Amino acid sequence: DSGVTQTPKHLITATGQRVTLRCSPRSGDLSVYWYQQSLDQGLQFLIHYYNGEERAKGNILERFSAQQFPDLHSELNLSSLELGDSALYFCASSSGLAFATDTQYFGPGTRLTVL
Amino acid sequence: DAKTTQPNSMESNEEEPVHLPCNHSTISGTDYIHWYRQLPSQGPEYVIHGLTSNVNNRMASLAIAEDRKSSTLILHRATLRDAAVYYCILNTGNQFYFGTGTSLTVIP
């Protein structure tokens, strides 16, 4: 158990809908990262927040957005969903800001299925 | 273009050493090399990372070529619990670029 929690575990929705995925980092960690894992694209970095501020963006679509709240939990919002958005979405957390050297602890993921 | 390339799969006998290779020919001077592994139905788990010198920790060793265009993750004695997909990752600035991963099978 990494100490990172993600809810829900599974989500099934229809095309065009909007969903919110939630992540609670390990106690004391200030950084939250979001990743997408799909059969087509493999694992891709989406976005990084540190203490409430966006620090880096990866391959995140404009239809997707994220935020980190004062209590440090984070939400990933996916809108206008398409079939290709079906994937596992992982959240990870780390203690600091050093992307290069901090160990990231991954949650168990949320499996999103878009029908 | 993929930033890292890895073999799709490898096999090892239990209690034998395993060498997992990774090519990252476009690496630049400040890019770190990270390895994470993903056990079935779990999120990735940190294994090791390095910049230029070889690195050791309780899980593995990381051997980095002198020109840094390739690296090798070494598991000293494979156990059945090491069966996983191993990802070689290039950290460029504030980006993480995952390879396609090597699926390691450990044979009892």
Side-chain angles (χ1 to χ4, degrees):
Chain A
D1 183 357
S2 66
V4 177
T5 59
Q6 291 187 246
T7 56
K9 275 184 153 25
H10 302 277
L11 199 46
I12 301 174
T13 189
T15 54
Q17 296 298 304
R18 172 189 166 96
V19 296
T20 297
L21 313 184
R22 183 188 168 104
C23 168
S24 293
R26 292 187 323 151
S27 177
D29 281 359
L30 297 177
S31 273
V32 169
Y33 310 80
W34 285 97
Y35 295 87
Q36 180 194 58
Q37 185 173 34
S38 66
L39 287 174
D40 291 347
Q41 305 285 338
L43 266 162
Q44 292 193 97
F45 164 68
L46 296 179
I47 199 162
H48 169 213
Y49 274 83
Y50 174 80
N51 204 20
E53 289 190 16
E54 181 187 303
R55 301 296 301 193
K57 266 187 172 176
N59 275 341
I60 189 164
L61 299 172
E62 284 192 15
R63 301 184 283 110
F64 296 1
S65 64
Q67 50 185 329
Q68 186 180 26
F69 294 87
D71 68 352
L72 301 176
H73 91 272
S74 177
E75 292 180 356
L76 180 67
N77 300 296
L78 315 177
S79 61
S80 303
L81 285 167
E82 302 175 0
L83 296 177
D85 298 327
S86 295
L88 259 174
Y89 291 85
F90 288 106
C91 160
S93 73
S94 71
S95 56
L97 184 56
F99 209 134
T101 54
D102 282 353
T103 295
Q104 294 186 31
Y105 297 87
F106 282 74
T110 292
R111 183 171 293 283
L112 173 66
T113 303
V114 182
L115 300 175
Chain B
D1 281 346
K3 301 267 184 187
T4 65
T5 54
Q6 305 174 248
N8 283 338
S9 61
M10 290 185 67
E11 283 187 352
S12 172
N13 293 318
E14 198 177 6
E15 300 194 4
E16 295 283 319
V18 185
H19 290 232
L20 299 167
C22 180
N23 286 322
H24 29 77
S25 57
T26 61
I27 194 169
S28 64
T30 54
D31 293 348
Y32 276 78
I33 303 147
H34 295 249
W35 285 81
Y36 280 69
R37 71 181 185 181
Q38 188 172 21
L39 278 64
S41 302
Q42 293 189 25
E45 171 189 41
Y46 171 79
V47 179
I48 202 166
H49 76 276
L51 181 61
T52 55
S53 308
N54 294 343
V55 184
N56 299 297
N57 66 20
R58 64 173 181 80
M59 284 183 75
S61 295
L62 177 60
I64 301 172
E66 202 168 323
D67 65 5
R68 302 211 319 128
K69 292 184 187 299
S70 65
S71 61
T72 302
L73 178 69
I74 303 163
L75 307 180
H76 296 287
R77 287 177 73 239
T79 69
L80 297 179
R81 295 192 315 180
D82 291 324
V85 178
Y86 287 78
Y87 291 99
C88 173
I89 303 155
L90 207 57
N91 167 225
T92 299
N94 283 339
Q95 300 292 317
F96 245 34
Y97 296 101
F98 285 79
T100 50
T102 297
S103 179
L104 175 66
T105 300
V106 180
I107 302 165

